[in-house]
Amino acid sequence: MTSSFPSDPGHDLPVVVIAGRPNVGKSTIFNRLVGRRQALVADTPGVTRDRKESETTVRGRRIRLIDTAGLEEAAPDTLFGRMRASSESAVAMADLVLFCIDARAGITPADEHFAAWLRRQGRPVLVLANKAEGRQGAAAAMEAFSLGLGAPLAISAEHGEGLADLMGEIADRIPDGPTQPRRPSRRERAEGEEEDDTRPPGPLRLAIVGRPNAGKSTLLNRLLGEERMITGPEPGLTRDSVSVMLHDDEGPIQLVDTAGLRRKARIDETLEKMSVSASIEALKMAEVVILALDATLGVHEQDLQIARLIEREGRCCVLALNKWDAVEDRNATRQAIRDRIETSLSQMKGIPVVAFSALTVAGVNKLLPTVRHAYEVWNRRVPTGELNRWFEMMVSRHPPPLVQGRRLKLRYITQAKSRPPTFILFGTRTEQMPEDYQRYLVNGLREAFDLPGTPIRLLLRGSQNPYAPTK
């Protein structure tokens, strides 16, 4: 298992880093340049804690854009100190730094301090005087000349003013790199220039979810082999969903770390609601979901609620038992967790479980192979002939029940799709089939065709009576 950074083509792109003190509009600028609301934005200082990255195009040039936490003076062992260290590491690899200030507030001592620090880094810097809407704002932006970093560019990210000039400046200042290929016009395609439909296979989309303080960010750092995410004893450090790329032996993985999910009744602040929404959206976009649990606490009801959400969304799941090094009776703990899962999550029977310690790295190497196997099960298809031979055996072993004095007639079954495995059962009055008989068939599918842990969909299709009165 290795980090993708040395070999990932996206990391050959010019790197543009947005930096500045808190609450000057860095994330709003990031969203504007990316072209979508990707980073959380709120009128609260320090919303961004972890670096947020995205590839985007400015004036036909592909760049890797990084949004950073606010630069603040703080002791290294504090949360703000760790946030600053993460921002400084991003600046260290930048081809261009967009140093953002608040034109309304004017130049503050913090701006002057970090401008002096930036001059010592030897990186190209473009000063952005944000919130400079209107004549008065543009005039205030000129104060930024005093920072000694060259002519400032007055913009208003919130109102979209000055963004065209900003994109032009970025394109002019970054080193040569890949350009966005020109897409053939409709006329060219109509005249016979067909588009090339062959695409390299995309990365496996993997999300890490769980309650706060389950060790999700520490796990991501261990998988990457670097301190990419800010971690610490404080619960709820991660506020936004952060996507990174890595490679294992089988190819690329797009890995998303998410904010902790708490019970809905405990979510009060608007910012936390935004964080939870981003986490749920990341879960929905994933193909495989790692549900991280604190093994010392066992399975909490909120963990089961998250697992049920994963099942409803049709995603395959791997249960990750973190902090395994702190568990005293491991056999008893593992059995208790398995019993709780089997009892409360019968619809995900056989869910794969990996025990590890993100702190000591013991057992972490087992996680991605388990994820790959769960993904293969999620994609599995069963031949129709084999499926119907199994179906005839199941019906003969346990005939369909009587409903209103008449026995259900089940004709045949077919697999409609995978991801997750979805089967359609045809027959007469199948919509009246009791749930316990549906579970009997689903459990049989899971055991006969080796589909552990993955959601299984069973759709019922009854034959229509041509003599029945129409409504």
Side-chain angles (χ1 to χ4, degrees):
M1 178 179 60
T2 57
S3 168
S4 68
F5 293 146
S7 58
D8 185 6
H11 289 79
D12 294 331
L13 298 175
V15 176
V16 178
V17 174
I18 306 173
R21 61 183 177 82
N23 213 32
V24 294
K26 298 184 297 297
S27 293
T28 304
I29 296 171
F30 178 87
N31 288 341
R32 285 286 190 179
L33 291 175
V34 171
R36 60 186 182 277
R37 195 179 181 88
Q38 185 168 327
L40 289 185
V41 176
D43 192 17
T44 304
V47 171
T48 302
R49 288 177 173 173
D50 297 289
R51 303 199 303 265
K52 188 93 173 179
E53 301 185 13
S54 183
E55 292 182 21
T56 189
T57 303
V58 291
R59 297 290 177 89
R61 301 283 303 279
R62 295 293 295 172
I63 65 169
R64 178 179 161 208
L65 186 66
I66 300 179
D67 182 24
T68 64
L71 292 167
E72 294 188 78
E73 276 296 320
D77 57 345
T78 64
L79 170 59
F80 293 108
R82 299 195 299 273
M83 289 164 59
R84 176 178 173 178
S86 176
S87 300
E88 289 177 351
S89 65
V91 169
M93 61 183 176
D95 295 297
L96 175 64
V97 178
L98 304 180
F99 182 52
C100 188
I101 65 167
D102 184 343
R104 296 177 195 163
I107 304 302
T108 67
D111 292 326
E112 294 174 343
H113 172 78
F114 289 114
W117 175 79
L118 276 174
R119 287 197 299 270
R120 295 194 297 271
Q121 306 310 303
R123 299 288 173 179
V125 178
L126 172 61
V127 178
L128 301 184
N130 191 27
K131 307 181 185 180
E133 55 271 8
R135 295 180 182 175
Q136 190 172 4
M142 294 302 102
E143 294 183 29
F145 270 107
S146 63
L147 296 175
L149 292 170
L153 181 63
I155 67 169
S156 173
E158 183 177 358
H159 296 87
E161 297 178 9
L163 294 179
D165 293 337
L166 171 58
M167 292 181 183
E169 289 286 347
I170 293 174
D172 290 341
R173 294 174 184 238
I174 58 176
D176 292 337
T179 58
Q180 182 76 357
R182 188 180 71 86
R183 181 182 176 89
S185 66
R186 289 184 179 179
R187 177 177 296 179
E188 289 172 334
R189 296 198 297 270
E191 290 174 353
E193 291 192 14
E194 298 183 0
E195 287 185 277
D196 182 9
D197 288 332
T198 60
R199 296 286 187 273
L204 186 153
R205 298 193 300 274
L206 175 63
I208 305 176
V209 302
R211 292 190 292 140
N213 215 30
K216 300 182 294 298
S217 296
T218 305
L219 172 59
L220 183 143
N221 288 343
R222 297 298 175 264
L223 292 172
L224 281 177
E226 65 166 285
E227 295 300 309
R228 173 64 176 77
M229 301 293 293
I230 295 172
T231 60
E234 306 92 339
L237 284 181
T238 302
R239 284 178 166 172
D240 202 353
S241 297
V242 177
S243 175
V244 297
M245 292 291 292
L246 63 86
H247 280 83
D248 64 0
D249 294 335
E250 298 188 39
I253 297 175
Q254 183 180 1
L255 180 58
V256 181
D257 184 25
T258 64
L261 294 169
R262 301 196 299 163
R263 285 195 300 116
K264 191 173 183 179
R266 294 187 176 183
I267 300 173
D268 299 320
E269 299 179 4
T270 300
L271 179 56
E272 186 174 1
K273 291 179 181 178
M274 293 167 62
S275 297
V276 169
S277 296
S279 298
I280 293 174
E281 188 63 26
L283 182 154
K284 292 179 178 180
M285 295 298 293
E287 295 167 316
V288 186
V289 179
I290 294 174
L291 175 54
L293 274 66
D294 185 336
T296 63
L297 302 178
V299 180
H300 191 274
E301 180 59 32
Q302 179 64 9
D303 299 319
L304 297 176
Q305 292 293 341
I306 297 171
R308 293 184 186 112
L309 175 61
I310 295 169
E311 193 277 334
R312 284 199 302 270
E313 292 297 330
R315 304 297 179 252
C316 58
C317 180
V318 173
L319 199 63
L321 306 183
N322 191 18
K323 308 182 184 180
W324 196 244
D325 56 318
V327 174
E328 295 182 0
D329 191 340
R330 296 184 177 182
N331 290 332
T333 299
R334 186 187 292 271
Q335 188 59 48
I337 290 174
R338 283 193 178 277
D339 291 345
R340 182 79 189 276
I341 293 297
E342 292 291 326
T343 302
S344 304
L345 295 174
S346 58
Q347 66 273 36
M348 298 175 74
K349 187 177 180 181
I351 184 171
V353 179
V354 179
F356 64 93
S357 169
L359 184 63
T360 66
V361 197
V364 172
N365 60 335
K366 301 176 183 177
L367 189 57
L368 291 185
T370 304
V371 164
R372 289 288 186 182
H373 182 260
Y375 178 72
E376 185 272 328
V377 171
W378 191 61
N379 282 273
R380 190 166 294 166
R381 296 194 71 95
V382 181
T384 301
E386 186 178 346
L387 184 60
N388 277 283
R389 286 191 293 273
W390 163 86
F391 179 62
E392 291 173 4
M393 180 271 296
M394 292 290 286
V395 171
S396 63
R397 177 189 296 175
H398 187 180
L402 294 173
V403 177
Q404 297 177 350
R406 299 168 60 189
R407 190 170 300 279
L408 300 180
K409 293 182 179 179
L410 306 182
R411 305 187 186 281
Y412 67 95
I413 189 171
T414 185
Q415 184 172 1
K417 69 181 188 71
S418 57
R419 303 164 61 92
T422 302
F423 302 87
I424 303 179
L425 177 59
F426 293 88
T428 303
R429 296 185 302 124
T430 55
E431 67 278 0
Q432 299 178 10
M433 182 184 296
E435 289 188 6
D436 58 349
Y437 197 79
Q438 294 182 44
R439 285 195 296 271
Y440 163 70
L441 294 175
V442 168
N443 289 336
L445 284 165
R446 194 180 301 281
E447 293 173 7
F449 302 111
D450 193 22
L451 300 171
T454 193
I456 294 178
R457 303 286 189 254
L458 182 64
L459 308 179
L460 307 176
R461 295 289 184 269
S463 58
Q464 186 175 2
N465 184 354
Y467 300 103
T470 57
K471 295 182 180 180

